Each structure stands twice: as C-alpha cells, then as structure tokens.
Amino acid sequence: MGHMSGPYVIRGSVSLPEAELMWRFSRSSGPGGQHVNTSDSQVELRFDLAATQALPEVWKERALERLAGRLVDGVVAVRSSEHRSQWRNREAAAVRLAALLAEASAPPPRKRRPTKIPRGINERRLREKKQRGETKRGRTGRDWG
C-alpha cells in the first residue's frame, strides 16, 4: 500500500501534477504514542501555484487571487498530521490540496437576477393593506361601551 492512490482530481480532467508536489516530513504532534517521537509522520505538502503549468490559466489566476492570504511566494502549503501513518497523512494532504485548489479555482457564482413580481400581486397586497387599515380604524369604540 505504499503507492499514492492518485491522481488527485481537482476538477474535470485536471488533477494535481504529482511531479510538482513538494513533500516534507517531520515528527508529528498527532496520535501515535511512543511511536510518534521516532517517526516522521507529519506531512507538509507544498505546491508552487505561481509557477505551475498544470492548471488552466484562468483557474490559476483565480486561485492566486483567492488564496493570496495563505500563499508564500506563490506557494501553497497544506499540512496533515491526523493519522499515525505517514502514508495516510500524505493521502490526506493531497486530497486537501486538491479540494483547496478546486474551491479556489471554481468559476465565480452567477449573478443573481431579482425575481420579477407580477404587478397584480403587488396591487392586491396594497388593496388588502388598505382594507386592513379600514377595519382597524373602525375599531375605535366611540359609540359602543
């Protein structure tokens, strides 16, 4: 099971370019008992978003713009240490990176077009409003009591 179960699809036919992924392994603060102090199970995955050719240009621009806050020199980093095994952490990191890029490169949502309200409805509402006012006005009990 040492093999990565890639390719990690971002969207459509575009997936993470495994050749461009930069891995770093270090000791994790996650679960693992005494084992944890000796094994490099924490994974840091870095991907040079600014330099990559793997993404369509438009996506790349969108992603660079949206992730601007978490990029360091155009590089996006994802960390994972929730699993005991380095391999599972790698999976998790890659999946997370793919999801992050998918979200960041998604086309902007469509503009909302206000619903057109048929004129009759508005007029009916105003009529009913007036009626209600009349009813209430008629309630000031001068005569009875």
Side-chain angles (χ1 to χ4, degrees):
M1 285 218 7
H3 183 66
M4 312 252 325
S5 63
Y8 295 92
V9 177
I10 297 175
R11 220 178 28 259
S13 60
V14 183
S15 49
L16 286 182
E18 302 212 0
E20 294 181 36
L21 301 181
M22 298 172 278
W23 297 97
R24 223 176 62 226
F25 308 104
S26 50
R27 298 209 178 133
S28 169
S29 58
Q34 286 122 327
H35 174 77
V36 82
N37 308 323
T38 58
S39 63
D40 291 348
S41 60
Q42 170 169 299
V43 170
E44 188 186 29
L45 171 56
R46 295 189 9 261
F47 174 62
D48 194 336
L49 184 58
T52 187
Q53 295 298 308
L55 298 183
E57 205 46 46
V58 201
W59 290 21
K60 193 161 121 175
E61 280 164 27
R62 274 190 218 130
L64 283 169
E65 205 171 302
R66 290 201 192 144
L67 297 176
R70 48 174 303 176
L71 292 178
V72 184
D73 293 338
V75 174
V76 62
V78 179
R79 263 216 192 89
S80 169
S81 57
E82 61 266 31
H83 301 293
R84 274 188 68 154
S85 86
Q86 185 193 87
W87 177 78
R88 301 240 317 264
N89 278 329
R90 270 196 206 210
E91 291 284 86
V95 168
R96 204 171 297 165
L97 180 63
L100 183 70
L101 290 176
E103 202 178 312
S105 66
R110 286 213 184 82
K111 276 269 184 286
R112 169 166 153 13
R113 288 188 34 219
T115 326
K116 190 133 173 53
I117 295 170
R119 215 174 76 223
I121 288 184
N122 232 351
E123 286 171 2
R124 195 180 78 203
R125 182 178 63 90
L126 293 175
R127 257 207 316 284
E128 283 173 1
K129 212 163 131 77
K130 226 184 205 78
Q131 278 271 236
R132 200 101 193 97
E134 295 288 321
T135 309
K136 287 188 171 187
R137 266 231 299 295
R139 278 188 194 153
T140 40
R142 287 185 302 273
D143 309 335
W144 45 277

